[in-house]
Amino acid sequence: MSVDELYREVILDHFQNPRNKGHLKTCDFHEKGENPLCGDSIDLYFIFDNDIIKDIKFEGNGCSISQASVSMMTEAIKGKPIKEIKAIIELFKEMMLEDKINPFKDNFDLEDLGALEGVKNYPVRIKCALLAWNTLSELFKKIAEKKP
Amino acid sequence: MTENKELTQLGKNIRKDFPFYKNNPNISYLDSAATSLVPRDVINKIIYYYESLGVSVHRGVYQLAAKTSEIYEDARKKIKHFLSAGSEYEIIFTRNTTEAINLIAYSFEKAKDELNELFSGWKGGLKTGDIVLISESEHHSNIIPWQIISERTGIKIKYIPIVKETGALDITAFNKIKNDLDDKDVKIISLAQVSNVTGIVYDLKPFISYAREKGSVFIVDGAQSVCHQKINLSDLSPDFFVFSAHKMLGPKGIGALCGKKEILNKMPVFLGGGDMILSVNKEKSTYNEIPYKFEAGTPNISAVFGFSAAIDYLEKIGLQNISDWEKKLTLYAMEKLSEINIQFFGPSLEQVKSNEFKKVGVVSFGINGIHPHDIGTLLDENNVCIRVGHHCCQLLMKAWDVPATCRASFYLYNDFEDVDNLINGLRKTIEFFGTHNS
């Protein structure tokens, strides 16, 4: 177990050059996520086109893992329908919380997500990697509850 | 120069007393403000209890029980002596500082006219609009219990603000608060003696004077002070002084409430059960006298034994020696940290050097652009254990507008080498994130 496993190049790249970072003034949904114990926080802004996430932006503060993870997530889900995204959330959580090996290995689109696999070896940091994904799940729950 | 000679005995030279180092020879443990390491003497005393006595206190008529009770009760005397607490004080064993504050809060919630005679501001108990005065830099354990009873009694919590630059209690703001509270009943004032984040030793005299003026109860949270400096309760004379053994080389899960007997005698009971009663009837029972009145159930006897051994050990080394040693380490650490690109949370190096601020071996800091959790993980990789996070002081973090800080804390077994390891680790951390930055 080495720290390079945790802080892979691609993670540091997302941390230092975050994708989709910013604010959406007019958006369909805004969801806030926090890890109060470590002070990681994110704000997710969404524009939907029916079931598809047409645009997503995030603002956030926190450790490199939490901020890289949210950056990766926005890239992974932008332009995709909720159903497909839910499947990605499932895969991601399985990778982080269960003993599943990286399911994104040969998926060009989602390859970056696999870099977070190394966080598993640092149990106290798993919640940092999951923050964005739990926040997204919360939003989907709310959307599902609203629907008749 | 006997003082210097004694000083050189600390740090690396006393690690032989701490079995932790035998099993973790390469670790720089810089998190004693969270919990301290434990010397062999303390561990042996716990083993002694379980191997040689192992029976309960206060009940058995047999000799083993008598001997156990004697050592257990002797610990109370030792603690009182350690705190220079006079005969007006009594020791109640609790699980820790947190439980001690909860005990006081819950008992006060129930207290009505019993305390009128002792505190002119009490006036029949806690009522809507009454004030509990604490500070922004308190540990959550000195905030939450008051919030819980505030929900049920309607009392209001007033916070003494901090001076942002240093983390010190803002005396100017306190004087303004005093004016604002002129027509209010300030029932309780509860303050930490030392901040667990900045390490500042607060001068509590102005606050206790105010408490006496307003007829309020005055509580001192000594969790971070008792381990670093000689406490003199006869001099300060608070109503309560609460602390934990585990920050002063003792076992986890045992702490003490040192309170004035006249108050404890009148306070309503906290937990009910065995040991705290005199006679039990179907309808109503009579309670035992203090300290037993507040110690329901079989206590953590082995931990009390260990607590007692920790005090023996600290007294053998001498708190002045420990304090002098910590100061050297702290100044060395602050000097070295100043050489790299860090920000201190708390007094500056100059302010500590010039004795403008009295400070124990606790240093909080941050590095611009690197989150404390990333720093903590990378330091761990270099065998350096520090605390990163909000240190159970979210109000202080909010006052500073930061989510978290890094905190290195020093104790008698730490040495200059530990500081060097910290600095090397931090340099590597900066390099690691810096390289990837460019």
Side-chain angles (χ1 to χ4, degrees), chain A residues 84-99:
Chain A
E84 197 179 319
I85 295 170
K86 279 186 174 167
I88 299 173
I89 298 177
E90 258 334 282
L91 285 174
F92 185 79
K93 287 193 177 174
E94 272 174 22
M95 175 179 86
M96 297 307 296
L97 297 172
E98 290 161 35
D99 232 2

Side-chain angles (χ1 to χ4, degrees), chain B residues 304-347:
Chain B
V304 170
F305 277 47
F307 195 167
S308 167
I311 290 177
D312 288 340
Y313 186 87
L314 284 172
E315 285 188 328
K316 189 176 83 188
I317 303 281
L319 277 156
Q320 191 56 48
N321 273 337
I322 294 171
S323 163
D324 291 346
W325 179 251
E326 269 179 38
K327 183 156 190 195
K328 285 194 176 196
L329 289 177
T330 306
L331 282 174
Y332 179 69
M334 289 184 80
E335 260 164 36
K336 289 280 168 190
L337 284 164
S338 300
E339 289 167 15
I340 50 182
N341 188 20
I342 68 108
Q343 176 198 2
F344 286 118
F345 293 98

